[in-house]
Amino acid sequence: MLFSRRLMLGLAMAGSLASALTFPAVAGEGPTEIDLFFPVPVDGKLARDMGTLIKEFNDGHPDIKATAVYTGSYDDTLIKTRAAIKAGKPPAAVIMSANFLLDMQIENELTNLDPLIKADGSTKEQFLGQFFPALSGNAVINRSVYGIPFQNSTPLLYINADKAKEAGLDPSKPPQTWAELTDWAKKLTKRDGDKVTQWGIAIPCAYDYCGWMMETLTMSNGGRYYNEEFGGEVYYDTPSMLGALTWWNDLVSKHKVHPPGATPGPAVSTSFISGNAAMMMLSTGSLTYVRENAKFNYKVAFIPRNVRNAVPIGGASLIIPAGVEADKQKAAWTLIKWMTSPEKSAWWSRATGYFAPNMAAYKTPDMVDFLNKNPDAKIAVEQLDVAKPWFATYKTVPVRKNLEDEVMLVLNGKKQPKEALVAAQKAADETLKPYNAETSLKLP
Amino acid sequence: MSLAEPAALPVAASAPRRLHIAGRFTARFKASLPAYLLLLPSLVFLALFTYGAMGRVIIDALYQRATPKAPLRFVGLDNIAAVLADSAFTGAVINNLIYAVGTAIPSIGLALLFALALARTNVVTSALRAALFLPVLIPMVAASALFLFIFLPNVGLLDYYIGRLLPVLPNWLGDPDIALYAIMIITIWKNAGYYMLFFLAGLQAVPEDVMEAAHLDGAGPFMRLRYIILPELKPTFLFVIVIATLNAVTQVDHVFVLTQGGPSNATNLVLFYIYQQAVEHFDVGKASAATLLTLAALMGLTALSFRTMANREGGP
């Protein structure tokens, strides 16, 4: 987090701040010192687990000394990485939100990983073949590899099974369509006069989460949200998104089974854990947190569909920023390969709740055991069959915010879905204009 | 400079005729050299971290890229015009004005009330002063994290108690009509104790004999407050108002932690807008232009208040 006074002093300060964050490597003898920037975007004790993981790596690799640097949320991690690149001292590796890769590639901030893969005697196809196919959309740009999937997620429907039984619903047959979900939510909402004492469902909406949930609902409604092939277009003012937002708004204002206003992710998970919300839509990344804190039986299920079953992936990939020296690049590559290997991938998945991007992770004996004991972790992996890439455009964050600001107005009853989406589309088109001027609208 | 004055005077006086201007200048410079040398270390750091950065902001504010891959080019005042035309910026300015007025007046009022109530020193008032000062000692980020739980919709501390009284529970940070006021409550809670210190100090300066005379003349507590204490506290008021306004612009840590400027820009303040332009939009030119505008406004305000203070001291 940057603080106010530093900003008042201007961006030149950001440079010196960033250089203070990255420790310069000692030249000459001794191990190659590298930094790994890592974010903690979900509930739980990820920072401690990361310390354990890096310590194990350093113990096994005496020629490399990696340091894990905690950098806040996904958005903060992008900011800090950019500041470090600008200061000329980029970290050797970063766990970067998967949908920021395109934006960074457009700004020339990423190292192309193809040569490193080739130097190992592997081909792109062989290398990417280790990971779930749904993940390559956010890792490959212009047919070159820029990111290696590390911790990935999909949105899930979490159900309080005890409350469902209480309401006469069968938690072993979770709702599969929006119609069924609406019905469940109505039955699970408890009222005391005008006052709601238990909400049927809660869906998070804060910056970052809100855009992801809109993509989830839009995809389940047959839509695409953005152009997967080209970073200059989003599809906000479309029937598929209009249906998605109208349904979300109906849950709030028509059926009154969803708390009004915009609720951040941690508030939604706390609400679910405390029994105040009987169902929620949240990332698989929160699964371990729910497993360890829920004092009731819970159940997870696919996100219900209106048109088709489809969800976006979420989570982060390992990247090497542009401008990292050759020896550090090599050390970072060793770290990245180690962290995404089947065993480590599986360990991280069990510790956090993210699914392991490396398919072989699910063949390791520990993981087979774990899935037998925790069948809920299996749902996230099964849902991968219908997963699609996460929205990524030129200036992903502002373009996402153009939509989120309008969605928040709708959930607060200040705007109708249609006018909100028209406004969001207009704002996003404006944000994307400079990129289109350079690409799609640059004519001979 | 004051160090140099006594040394400079004899040099000028001992010259029989009018020295050349250049000669006089070198003589003066030589005389004040030790002063400059003494100032040098802090000057170096000021130049590096304050003036240098400000200079860089001014330069950055004049350049812009037309498209992502295009080189930076000089655009003059275009960035400033773009910021002024941006509805998000005007929204942030309006929010900031509401925020400044809405936090300064209640926190100064509370601070004065606390100071008047706790002006005498004894065991009870000392304990109460410490209690009221406590929020100042908590870092803003930590305080915001505490309030995150207090404001949590449905299950938070506030809703737990207030929820029994209200039919529909407010979503304190998720409703654009309420969010800014929720943020303001934190600022008032945090700053009132700080301003109380200034008023306590100001109250010590109220002349004892005047108060006694007023007492003998039969002036009641309200008369004494209206005609003696408040006029004596005028400089304190001016100072605290300036500090409160500066705080309203520079303290946005709780916006970062609690709302990120949302929902729908309802809690977007000017400094957070600058941050967004710089790191989310990656638009250094616009961020620098907005910084310049803010700096200009703050400097104008400070100059105005210092002049008011100087006038008052110079007058009868």
Side-chain angles (χ1 to χ4, degrees), chain A residues 1-5 7-13 16 75-76 78-79 82 86 103 105-109 194-196 199 207 259-264 266-267 270-271 274 276 394-395 397-398 400-402 404-409 412 414 431 434-435 437-438, chain B residues 49-50 53-54 56-57 60 65-70 141 152-155 163-164 166-169 171 173-177 250-253 256-257 259-265 268 271-272 274-276 278-284 287-288 291 294-295 298:
Chain A
M1 175 110 357
L2 294 168
F3 289 101
S4 46
R5 280 196 202 116
L7 281 160
M8 287 306 292
L9 293 179
L11 286 165
M13 277 299 283
S16 49
D75 287 9
D76 291 340
L78 175 66
I79 291 158
R82 284 189 155 158
K86 212 166 176 233
D103 198 8
Q105 196 270 338
I106 291 174
E107 306 274 359
N108 298 319
E109 292 166 332
D194 269 350
K195 201 176 147 189
V196 175
W199 293 102
Y207 294 125
T263 318
T270 314
S271 202
S274 69
N276 184 259
Y394 168 70
K395 286 198 180 173
V397 175
R400 183 193 76 206
K401 237 177 136 221
N402 290 144
E404 288 170 328
D405 279 335
E406 296 295 330
V407 171
M408 287 172 181
L409 287 175
N412 276 297
K414 305 243 173 268
T431 313
Y435 184 65
E438 192 164 76
Chain B
F49 295 111
T50 304
M54 280 168 83
R56 183 64 195 267
V57 167
D60 281 345
R65 289 189 297 182
T67 60
K69 293 239 153 77
V141 173
L152 216 55
N154 301 313
V155 287
R164 293 154 199 254
L166 294 174
V168 181
L169 294 175
N171 186 344
L173 297 170
D175 184 335
D177 289 342
T250 55
Q251 278 189 356
V252 296
D253 307 16
F256 278 82
V257 177
T259 62
Q260 304 271 302
S264 310
N265 283 330
N268 200 351
L271 192 55
F272 195 79
I274 294 172
Y275 161 87
Q276 280 182 330
V279 299
E280 283 181 3
H281 291 248
F282 219 41
D283 191 337
V284 177
S288 305
T291 308
T294 316
L295 269 182
L298 284 181

Side-chain angles (χ1 to χ4, degrees), chain A residues 108-148:
Chain A
N108 298 319
E109 292 166 332
L110 289 182
T111 298
N112 187 331
L113 302 177
D114 287 354
L116 290 162
I117 296 172
K118 216 171 157 193
D120 287 344
S122 180
T123 66
K124 257 182 294 189
E125 289 70 28
Q126 281 172 338
F127 187 82
L128 284 175
Q130 308 171 68
F131 303 102
F132 285 103
L135 304 175
S136 59
N138 286 111
V140 181
I141 303 163
N142 294 340
R143 285 186 290 165
S144 284
V145 181
Y146 284 94
I148 311 299

Side-chain angles (χ1 to χ4, degrees), chain B residues 72 131 286:
Chain B
L72 279 175
K286 230 167 132 185

Side-chain angles (χ1 to χ4, degrees), chain B residues 6-313:
Chain B
L9 280 172
V11 172
S14 69
R17 258 173 262 124
R18 242 173 44 187
L19 279 172
H20 288 300
I21 292 174
R24 204 148 66 175
F25 185 79
T26 21
R28 278 219 176 160
F29 182 76
K30 260 187 199 154
S32 38
L33 193 64
Y36 283 114
L37 281 176
L38 285 171
L39 283 175
L40 192 67
S42 30
L43 271 180
V44 166
F45 282 103
L46 271 176
L48 267 177
F49 295 111
T50 304
Y51 306 134
M54 280 168 83
R56 183 64 195 267
V57 167
I58 294 173
I59 295 169
D60 281 345
L62 301 173
Y63 288 85
Q64 185 60 277
R65 289 189 297 182
T67 60
K69 293 239 153 77
L72 279 175
R73 68 192 164 85
F74 183 82
V75 293
L77 297 179
D78 281 10
N79 281 330
I80 290 184
V83 167
L84 289 175
D86 188 348
S87 62
F89 180 74
T90 40
V93 170
I94 291 169
N95 283 343
N96 224 147
L97 285 175
I98 297 174
Y99 176 80
V101 174
T103 56
I105 293 176
S107 52
I108 292 174
L110 279 175
L112 180 66
L113 209 69
F114 294 156
L116 287 172
L118 306 176
R120 282 163 203 278
T121 309
N122 58 40
V123 183
V124 179
T125 55
S126 301
L128 282 173
R129 280 182 202 168
L132 288 170
F133 191 68
L134 199 67
V136 183
L137 300 175
I138 304 173
M140 192 57 140
V141 173
S144 311
L146 283 177
F147 272 90
L148 194 64
F149 289 104
I150 293 174
F151 284 137
L152 216 55
N154 301 313
V155 287
L157 207 57
L158 199 55
D159 276 0
Y160 184 79
Y161 290 108
I162 290 188
R164 293 154 199 254
L165 308 171
L166 294 174
V168 181
L169 294 175
N171 186 344
W172 298 100
L173 297 170
D175 184 335
D177 289 342
I178 311 175
L180 186 62
Y181 298 97
I183 293 282
M184 279 156 59
I185 288 171
I186 303 176
T187 314
I188 295 168
W189 169 81
K190 192 145 173 15
N191 286 346
Y194 182 47
Y195 304 148
M196 173 187 78
L197 282 194
F198 297 113
F199 283 115
L200 279 174
L203 283 176
Q204 307 298 316
V206 176
E208 203 61 33
D209 47 345
V210 179
M211 288 292 276
E212 254 168 50
H215 208 89
L216 288 178
D217 288 345
F222 177 76
M223 297 273 276
R224 292 199 298 266
L225 178 71
R226 170 74 185 77
Y227 292 105
I228 301 172
I229 298 177
L230 288 185
E232 285 292 335
L233 284 178
K234 214 171 164 189
T236 316
F237 265 109
L238 264 175
F239 180 73
V240 173
I241 287 170
V242 172
I243 296 281
T245 317
L246 288 178
N247 276 345
V249 179
T250 55
Q251 278 189 356
V252 296
D253 307 16
H254 48 344
V255 173
F256 278 82
V257 177
L258 291 175
T259 62
Q260 304 271 302
S264 310
N265 283 330
T267 58
N268 200 351
L269 302 179
V270 170
L271 192 55
F272 195 79
Y273 170 86
I274 294 172
Y275 161 87
Q276 280 182 330
Q277 291 304 320
V279 299
E280 283 181 3
H281 291 248
F282 219 41
D283 191 337
V284 177
K286 230 167 132 185
S288 305
T291 308
L292 279 187
L293 287 172
T294 316
L295 269 182
L298 284 181
M299 280 166 120
L301 187 83
T302 316
L304 191 77
S305 53
F306 279 143
R307 244 183 67 173
T308 325
M309 268 191 252
N311 279 351
R312 195 187 166 277
E313 267 159 29

Side-chain angles (χ1 to χ4, degrees), chain A residues 42-88:
Chain A
V42 292
D43 311 295
K45 47 178 178 42
L46 259 64
R48 210 166 68 205
D49 297 327
M50 181 55 78
T52 315
L53 193 69
I54 293 299
K55 191 177 174 305
E56 199 188 329
F57 173 79
N58 285 335
D59 290 347
H61 297 78
D63 53 332
I64 301 173
K65 188 175 176 292
T67 311
V69 182
Y70 168 65
T71 45
S73 68
Y74 277 157
D75 287 9
D76 291 340
T77 300
L78 175 66
I79 291 158
K80 283 173 187 164
T81 306
R82 284 189 155 158
I85 292 173
K86 212 166 176 233

